[in-house]
Amino acid sequence: MKILAIETSCDDTGIAILKIPKTKAQSPNFVVLSNTVASQIEVHKPYGGVYPMLAKREHLKNLPIVLKKALKQTNISDPKKQIDLLAVTNGPGLEPCLWAGVNLTKELSKSWEIPIVPVNHIEGHILVNYLENKKIKFPAIALVVSGGHTQLILMKKIGSYKILGETRDDAAGECFDKCAKILGLPYPGGPEIEKLSKKLKDKNSKLKVSLPRPMINTKDYDFSFSGLKTAVLYTWQKMIPARKVSDRTLYGQMQIAMASEVQQAVIDVLLKKTMKAVNGYKAKTLILGGGVSANQELRRQFQKALKTNNSTAVELFMPSANLSTDNAVMTAITAYFHRNKKIATSDVTILKAEANLRIK
Ligand code: KG4
Ligand code: ZN
């Protein structure tokens, strides 16, 4: 079967076409025929963040172009006959953006007479791991860290989830983006912070800064990152007048020192709470997903932590970097697993975008 999936929950316009061979296996070998993501980074860069109405306008502009490209790439001339299922992210995300994808999918459903499977974006970040790994054992713990969410999830099986904890304020990616802005770095901040952190040569340099690790020792599985951003702001303001900003080398070194400490503070908190959940729930698999999980240092430290963990062997699954950030392959894979929940063309009017949709 072939699934055409649409993802517009934030600032990436994604369309993917997935081929699934006929099989009795629960998790087949998915074949990605097409995976296009039109990024809006350049549009949002001047503002240092995503503006929902601007993002919606870009989705409306990009969707027909990306759709045409996907159909051309896969030689699909008669979608009505050649596509079996449509999938669309209907939440959580930015409401105007979600509607852009949902409305187009409804129109396609009507004109091609193909049913729709609505997809939860967070579940997509988890299940995209099935593209490269079939060996997910349960119970599993999933850490989804993106620009909009930071959630620790207990997964009992595909389709059965419990949110153990989540951020009480900013998401981890949002924290990276805001801290990067304070340091004068472009949007999106996560990759910029990672790039700068790699340049840190002397961990004991005189410029060493020390930031808090909010909620690291609390008994729950919740997170809080807005205090970290405030600490960065005050520390940065103190650092700058004391030095000559005109000294570009010194300024660059200060940025590096701050970026690497922000990155480590976020990793420390995520790692501590996640390992607590892994051990507490005797997880057999740890799954990472969401844009922040593209961070190589985070990946390295999670791998190391699992190696030195005393508990039973836990396998770590993380998607390759281009599938950690938003894409529609994740939407298509999730729709495959929930193909029984498809909505018939005659009923698609009931499908709504839900900005605060929760995984359960
Ligand atoms: O999952 P995603 O693409 O979109 C949302 O669902 O929000 O995640 C985007 C977030 C942004 O905040 C971005 O700064 C962050 O992921 N991000 C990273 C890296 N790449 C993207 N954060 C840290 N290191 C990275 N390499
Ligand atoms: Zn996402």
Side-chain angles (χ1 to χ4, degrees):
M1 73 183 294
K2 285 199 188 92
I3 300 179
L4 184 148
I6 299 182
E7 150 64 45
T8 59
S9 66
C10 191
D11 61 340
D12 289 305
T13 313
I15 295 190
I17 299 178
L18 194 69
K19 187 175 156 192
I20 305 107
K22 234 189 190 140
T23 170
K24 288 210 171 98
Q26 192 211 13
S27 174
N29 290 321
F30 297 106
V31 183
V32 178
L33 298 181
S34 167
N35 175 24
T36 306
V37 178
S39 163
Q40 301 179 5
I41 286 176
E42 291 309 316
V43 176
H44 299 290
K45 218 172 219 176
Y47 309 98
V50 180
Y51 272 75
M53 292 315 284
L54 197 58
K56 178 193 167 183
R57 197 190 70 191
E58 288 301 301
H59 284 310
L60 294 178
K61 197 173 83 188
N62 292 336
L63 275 168
I65 302 167
V66 179
L67 178 64
K68 206 170 154 189
K69 189 174 160 192
L71 295 174
K72 194 172 168 204
Q73 253 179 7
T74 48
N75 289 322
I76 293 181
S77 52
D78 189 358
K80 197 171 173 171
K81 285 204 187 112
Q82 292 173 274
I83 291 185
D84 303 279
L85 211 50
L86 294 171
V88 65
T89 306
N90 73 320
L94 302 171
E95 185 144 342
C97 299
L98 289 165
W99 273 118
V102 167
N103 282 335
L104 173 67
T105 316
K106 284 185 186 187
E107 280 174 36
L108 296 179
S109 172
K110 284 178 198 158
S111 74
W112 296 342
E113 294 170 31
I114 304 174
I116 304 177
V117 180
V119 169
N120 180 305
H121 183 72
I122 303 294
E123 191 177 12
H125 274 308
I126 298 173
L127 297 187
V128 74
N129 280 281
Y130 274 100
L131 184 67
E132 288 153 350
N133 296 296
K134 307 282 168 226
K135 288 184 278 177
I136 295 177
K137 288 191 197 134
F138 303 106
I141 292 291
L143 173 69
V144 178
V145 264
S146 68
H149 295 88
T150 301
Q151 290 183 334
L152 251 180
I153 298 163
L154 172 65
M155 184 180 178
K156 291 172 209 146
K157 59 178 186 184
I158 295 172
S160 171
Y161 309 92
K162 184 180 174 204
I163 299 173
L164 301 175
E166 60 193 315
T167 183
R168 296 185 181 177
D169 39 58
D170 293 350
E174 187 180 1
C175 174
F176 278 139
D177 295 339
K178 287 178 175 171
C179 291
K181 196 171 174 183
I182 295 168
L183 304 186
L185 303 169
Y187 174 84
E192 296 294 326
I193 298 254
E194 171 167 27
K195 231 189 288 169
L196 274 191
S197 303
K198 280 185 185 158
K199 292 187 184 165
L200 184 76
K201 291 202 179 80
D202 178 8
K203 284 197 174 151
N204 299 314
S205 132
K206 277 186 202 147
L207 292 171
K208 190 170 164 53
V209 279
S210 171
L211 293 169
R213 270 65 174 157
M215 292 185 72
I216 194 162
N217 290 319
T218 57
K219 286 193 175 137
D220 50 35
Y221 292 108
D222 283 347
F223 303 93
S224 166
F225 292 107
S226 75
L228 185 56
K229 166 202 66 195
T230 313
V232 167
L233 179 67
Y234 291 148
T235 313
W236 189 242
Q237 281 170 344
K238 263 191 236 154
M239 277 170 101
I240 290 192
R243 319 269 173 184
K244 281 189 197 139
V245 176
S246 55
D247 181 343
R248 297 317 292 172
T249 310
L250 185 59
Y251 188 80
Q253 281 168 1
M254 289 194 301
Q255 281 180 316
I256 291 170
M258 190 62 111
S260 68
E261 174 65 358
V262 173
Q263 180 175 278
Q264 195 53 53
V266 171
I267 294 175
D268 281 348
V269 182
L270 293 175
L271 197 52
K272 177 90 188 274
K273 293 263 163 131
T274 306
M275 291 310 292
K276 192 168 109 130
V278 164
N279 292 328
Y281 287 89
K282 298 192 171 38
K284 293 185 178 137
T285 310
L286 171 59
I287 299 169
L288 302 184
V292 177
S293 72
N295 187 289
Q296 286 171 15
E297 185 57 20
L298 179 142
R299 288 169 172 248
R300 194 188 65 76
Q301 293 191 27
F302 267 79
Q303 270 159 342
K304 191 172 157 210
L306 277 184
K307 262 192 203 148
T308 50
N309 191 33
N310 293 328
S311 73
T312 51
V314 182
E315 275 206 88
L316 176 62
F317 291 130
M318 356 182 224
S320 41
N322 69 320
L323 294 172
S324 298
T325 49
D326 289 350
N327 62 84
V329 173
M330 63 194 235
T331 318
I333 292 179
T334 308
Y336 174 77
F337 287 117
H338 292 303
R339 59 197 182 282
N340 294 339
K341 295 183 193 155
K342 66 185 177 206
I343 303 172
T345 299
S346 52
D347 296 332
V348 291
T349 41
I350 62 166
L351 180 58
K352 282 191 300 205
E354 292 182 57
N356 299 315
L357 190 67
R358 308 268 295 168
I359 191 170
K360 53 182 189 276

